[in-house]
Amino acid sequence: QGQPGKGDNGAAPGGEDLAGLKKRKKGGGRIVESDSEDSGESGEDDGRFGGPAAHASDAAGRHGAGSRAPLPLAAADLPQMQAAVQPGATPRMAGSQRRFLAYNMDGYISTTRGTDFNSIEVVFHDISARSSRIPTLTDYYGFELGALGTRGTVLASPEKGQESPSVLMYRPFESWAAGTEWTCTFPQGEEVKAVTVGTTFAAAATNRHLRVYTLAGNPQAVLALPGQVVALAANESWLALIYHDGEPTRAGGSDNGTQEEAQHAATYTQKLAFALYDVSSEAQVAQGAVPLSAGAELEWVGFSEDGILATCDDQGCIRGFFFEAFGGSWTPLFNSRDARKAETEHHYVVGLSQREVFCIITKSARHVPQVEPRPIISTMPLAIPIVADGPAALQDEYLQSKLRQSAGIEMQLQMDRSLLKLIQAAIKGDQLEKALELAAVLNFQKSLEGALKLANAMRKRVLAEKIGELVVSRSAAEAAMMGPGADAGAGKYGKADHLSGSLGKENQQANVFSRKRAAAAATASDMPAPKTPKNPFART
């Protein structure tokens, strides 16, 4: 079997890391996808990371060739609940003593197995963000779980008999006081299955409870688990728990043959649910089912850079949970199958931004990166699977802005920019009813006036009249809401235009976007809250 070597992660050692990728993106540099892959060696897999040993078995060879004997329903053929997964962790490969305990947008935690002890290293993608290097930890506990936060790391070891109980440790990066590192030893029979860390707390889910601690080590909460834990994730003060909500459900199998044969051919989809907590206010803010692809298991869970809870299953489908989507629903954001260049390609998720997924591209059956050489981060655009009569790219841009519009004024502006482009395309295609429908959901009065100018410029008199009625009715509603003596012309958005950009060369005369960004910034603080409920994920 091959040994780790050059090209296992898509590049020779010293390749570009996430910090370099982001800096080059900000500078307008072009990103070239990497062809990252691991060696595909079959090594040790104890099932702690959702690997094959956790839920799969080989039933080959049970019967001779051509045998039609009844197939016994062995335990391996029954639906198996997937083991807990630690986002960003990888199993240990044969021939390598190193593996990742965590890998995210900030950096990674790696462990190296030694004879008498292990060594744990914390590395940041952007080394300039830290004033000093994090010292390597000499690990005598045998930590198998880890989570990397902005203020520290949390580590946990499994129970290894009566003499070696499960241990939880928190290590801060910086502190004004000595002795801020702390450990907890769990009673016999209680074992840590998943860990995570936010900006104000650390959390561990065991086989018994969900335990939340302050960063100083004080217990903040001990919650009963609604089901067997699958994963934890954190973002600032938000804590997400993924758990089993029942037995896996049947997702496939042939209708031909005997019932026993159909049972053997069937695949099962994990039945998972989530609970979302605001640790700062000690409140549960959302709960519900976690959608997965047919026959899939959960592979990753985390939060995007703008605070959206997201999941990825082992078939490469990424979904985000949005409060704006029908009162709190999951929306598909990415499908690995559509982005693959080869059947063997797999996208190992590292994190999400508003518009992209950051991933490591692997090409082996194990679908995980190796520690050496250092993996290269590639980016793929997020895309809602649009099926519509019209420009899909513009529809996707509009829907993504709509889902995030409660994040602030800028997102509402972006949504209106997308809507005006769609209105322009609809008028060009003589789809006037669609254009009117889009105009009715514009956020700003100035945007509505811009849609009116578009209709007039493109000589659509009837459409212009109907949009004009919308302008008048919205102005009257705003004037009534502001009360007597208010400047109805300014509306609730102020006197300055708050949109910037261009609708294209063919409609420069109908451009409703103001070029006075300074005026927009000066009046933005006077605008009211968005019409939709505020997204509690949004960063402030």
Side-chain angles (χ1 to χ4, degrees), residues 104-269:
N104 62 20
M105 299 286 278
D106 295 318
Y108 63 83
I109 307 172
S110 66
T111 178
T112 303
R113 177 181 290 177
T115 305
D116 300 320
F117 57 84
N118 298 340
S119 298
I120 292 181
E121 184 180 17
V122 177
V123 177
F124 298 99
H125 298 306
D126 185 2
I127 58 175
S128 63
R130 298 289 168 183
S131 58
S132 61
R133 180 178 175 275
I134 306 300
T136 299
L137 172 67
T138 300
D139 172 21
Y140 292 101
Y141 295 103
F143 291 123
E144 295 288 343
L145 302 173
L148 176 64
T150 57
R151 299 180 61 183
T153 60
V154 60
L155 305 165
S157 66
E159 185 179 51
K160 302 170 184 174
Q162 296 183 3
E163 302 299 324
S164 299
S166 188
V167 174
L168 179 72
M169 173 185 283
Y170 174 76
R171 297 183 74 206
F173 298 139
E174 297 175 354
S175 178
W176 60 271
T180 52
E181 178 182 301
W182 51 268
T183 60
C184 290
T185 302
F186 291 88
Q188 184 179 353
E190 184 170 3
E191 182 179 35
V192 179
K193 298 295 185 179
V195 295
T196 191
V197 60
T199 55
T200 61
F201 69 92
T206 72
N207 55 336
R208 295 180 179 176
H209 310 293
L210 173 60
R211 298 181 179 272
V212 183
Y213 299 86
T214 67
L215 294 186
N218 295 313
Q220 185 171 354
V222 179
L223 304 179
L225 289 169
Q228 181 182 329
V229 65
V230 176
L232 292 177
N235 176 63
E236 297 184 349
S237 65
W238 300 98
L239 170 63
L241 166 70
I242 310 293
Y243 59 92
H244 284 285
D245 195 32
E247 294 287 337
T249 58
R250 185 171 175 175
S254 173
D255 291 332
N256 301 321
T258 66
Q259 181 179 359
E260 289 84 2
E261 289 173 330
Q263 177 74 19
H264 279 286
T267 58
Y268 294 88
T269 305

Side-chain angles (χ1 to χ4, degrees), residues 185-517:
T185 302
F186 291 88
Q188 184 179 353
E190 184 170 3
E191 182 179 35
V192 179
K193 298 295 185 179
V195 295
T196 191
V197 60
T199 55
T200 61
F201 69 92
T206 72
N207 55 336
R208 295 180 179 176
H209 310 293
L210 173 60
R211 298 181 179 272
V212 183
Y213 299 86
T214 67
L215 294 186
N218 295 313
Q220 185 171 354
V222 179
L223 304 179
L225 289 169
Q228 181 182 329
V229 65
V230 176
L232 292 177
N235 176 63
E236 297 184 349
S237 65
W238 300 98
L239 170 63
L241 166 70
I242 310 293
Y243 59 92
H244 284 285
D245 195 32
E247 294 287 337
T249 58
R250 185 171 175 175
S254 173
D255 291 332
N256 301 321
T258 66
Q259 181 179 359
E260 289 84 2
E261 289 173 330
Q263 177 74 19
H264 279 286
T267 58
Y268 294 88
T269 305
Q270 298 295 316
K271 187 178 181 181
L272 307 181
F274 80 101
L276 182 64
Y277 305 96
D278 180 3
V279 176
S280 61
S281 61
E282 299 190 354
Q284 179 176 301
V285 296
Q287 187 177 26
V290 175
L292 297 173
S293 303
E297 296 183 352
L298 183 72
E299 185 174 88
W300 177 88
V301 61
F303 289 84
S304 67
E305 287 186 333
D306 58 333
I308 300 301
L309 177 64
T311 63
C312 180
D313 60 36
D314 60 6
Q315 295 188 18
C317 185
I318 296 178
R319 301 171 178 87
F321 181 79
F322 295 89
F323 280 89
E324 292 84 352
F326 290 85
S329 299
W330 294 87
T331 297
L333 299 175
F334 178 80
N335 193 325
S336 179
R337 243 177 295 179
D338 298 334
R340 291 174 189 162
K341 295 182 178 178
E343 284 298 320
T344 57
E345 191 171 279
H346 180 78
H347 301 101
Y348 183 86
V349 177
V350 175
L352 303 178
S353 65
Q354 283 189 4
R355 297 294 184 184
E356 295 174 315
V357 52
F358 291 78
C359 60
I360 300 169
I361 300 178
T362 66
K363 291 185 179 178
S364 76
R366 295 304 295 269
H367 295 331
V368 293
Q370 292 182 204
V371 179
E372 293 176 339
R374 188 170 178 176
I376 287 183
I377 308 295
S378 299
T379 59
M380 300 284 179
L382 297 177
I384 298 174
I386 299 294
V387 178
D389 178 18
L394 289 180
Q395 295 280 4
D396 173 73
E397 183 181 326
Y398 158 61
L399 284 182
Q400 296 221 35
S401 300
K402 178 182 177 182
L403 289 171
R404 291 178 166 89
Q405 63 175 320
S406 67
I409 297 299
E410 184 56 40
M411 271 300 164
Q412 289 187 322
L413 299 180
Q414 181 59 49
M415 178 180 169
D416 277 13
R417 294 187 189 104
S418 302
L419 283 170
L420 286 169
K421 292 176 184 177
L422 287 171
I423 291 170
Q424 183 184 29
I427 295 176
K428 282 185 177 181
D430 207 28
Q431 297 174 309
L432 303 186
E433 188 171 348
K434 179 184 286 188
L436 180 62
E437 188 178 79
L438 293 169
V441 295
L442 286 164
N443 290 290
F444 296 97
Q445 183 76 358
K446 288 292 183 181
S447 303
L448 197 55
E449 293 171 2
L452 176 60
K453 291 180 182 179
L454 272 176
N456 285 323
M458 301 179 79
R459 294 180 172 85
K460 302 297 181 182
R461 183 178 58 82
V462 177
L463 176 63
E465 290 177 357
K466 291 186 175 296
I467 295 178
E469 293 173 2
L470 291 176
V471 172
V472 172
S473 62
R474 183 173 293 188
S475 296
E478 289 180 356
M481 191 165 55
M482 294 174 65
D487 185 355
K492 61 178 179 179
Y493 304 109
K495 296 182 179 180
D497 293 341
H498 295 282
L499 298 175
S500 60
S502 175
L503 293 177
K505 296 180 181 179
E506 60 267 33
N507 280 300
Q508 291 291 336
Q509 71 275 15
N511 182 9
V512 299
F513 297 122
S514 172
R515 295 169 177 78
K516 300 180 181 179
R517 292 181 179 269

